[in-house]
């Protein structure tokens, strides 16, 4: 029996005060809709292989 294969994209977003907030980082190469996987110190796109390093946070 085939099950529904709905990709719940909306789970990557949340609505707060009427604004859409992205919970995941999207790939600048593939465009919005392609989300990047988060690693400890970088993000990587599973589609094109783009890697973006996290910037060290400045603490005040
Ligand atoms: Zn990509």
């Amino acid at each position: 029996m085939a099950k529904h294969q709905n990709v719940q994209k909306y789970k990557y977003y949340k609505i707060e005060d009427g604004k859409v907030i992205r919970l995941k980082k999207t790939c600048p190469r593939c465009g919005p809709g392609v989300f990047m996987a988060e690693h400890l110190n970088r993000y990587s796109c599973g589609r094109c292989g783009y890697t973006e390093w996290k910037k060290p946070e400045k603490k005040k």
Side-chain angles (χ1 to χ4, degrees):
M1 188 184 279
K3 284 190 176 183
H4 289 286
Q5 293 184 331
N6 290 334
V7 179
Q8 297 182 324
K9 275 191 174 178
Y10 56 83
K11 75 182 178 183
Y12 294 121
Y13 300 89
K14 71 173 180 179
I15 311 294
E16 207 168 80
D17 293 332
K19 286 185 289 186
V20 178
I21 295 170
R22 281 184 197 168
L23 299 177
K24 297 263 184 178
K25 195 171 175 62
T26 55
C27 178
R29 277 194 200 166
C30 300
V34 177
F35 293 94
M36 300 177 76
E38 182 171 6
H39 300 276
L40 269 178
N41 55 354
R42 66 191 162 88
Y43 297 95
S44 71
C45 174
R47 188 165 145 179
C48 71
Y50 176 83
T51 302
E52 186 168 297
W53 295 91
K54 288 183 183 179
K55 291 169 186 171
E57 289 183 20
K58 287 179 183 174
K59 287 180 182 177
K60 282 183 180 176

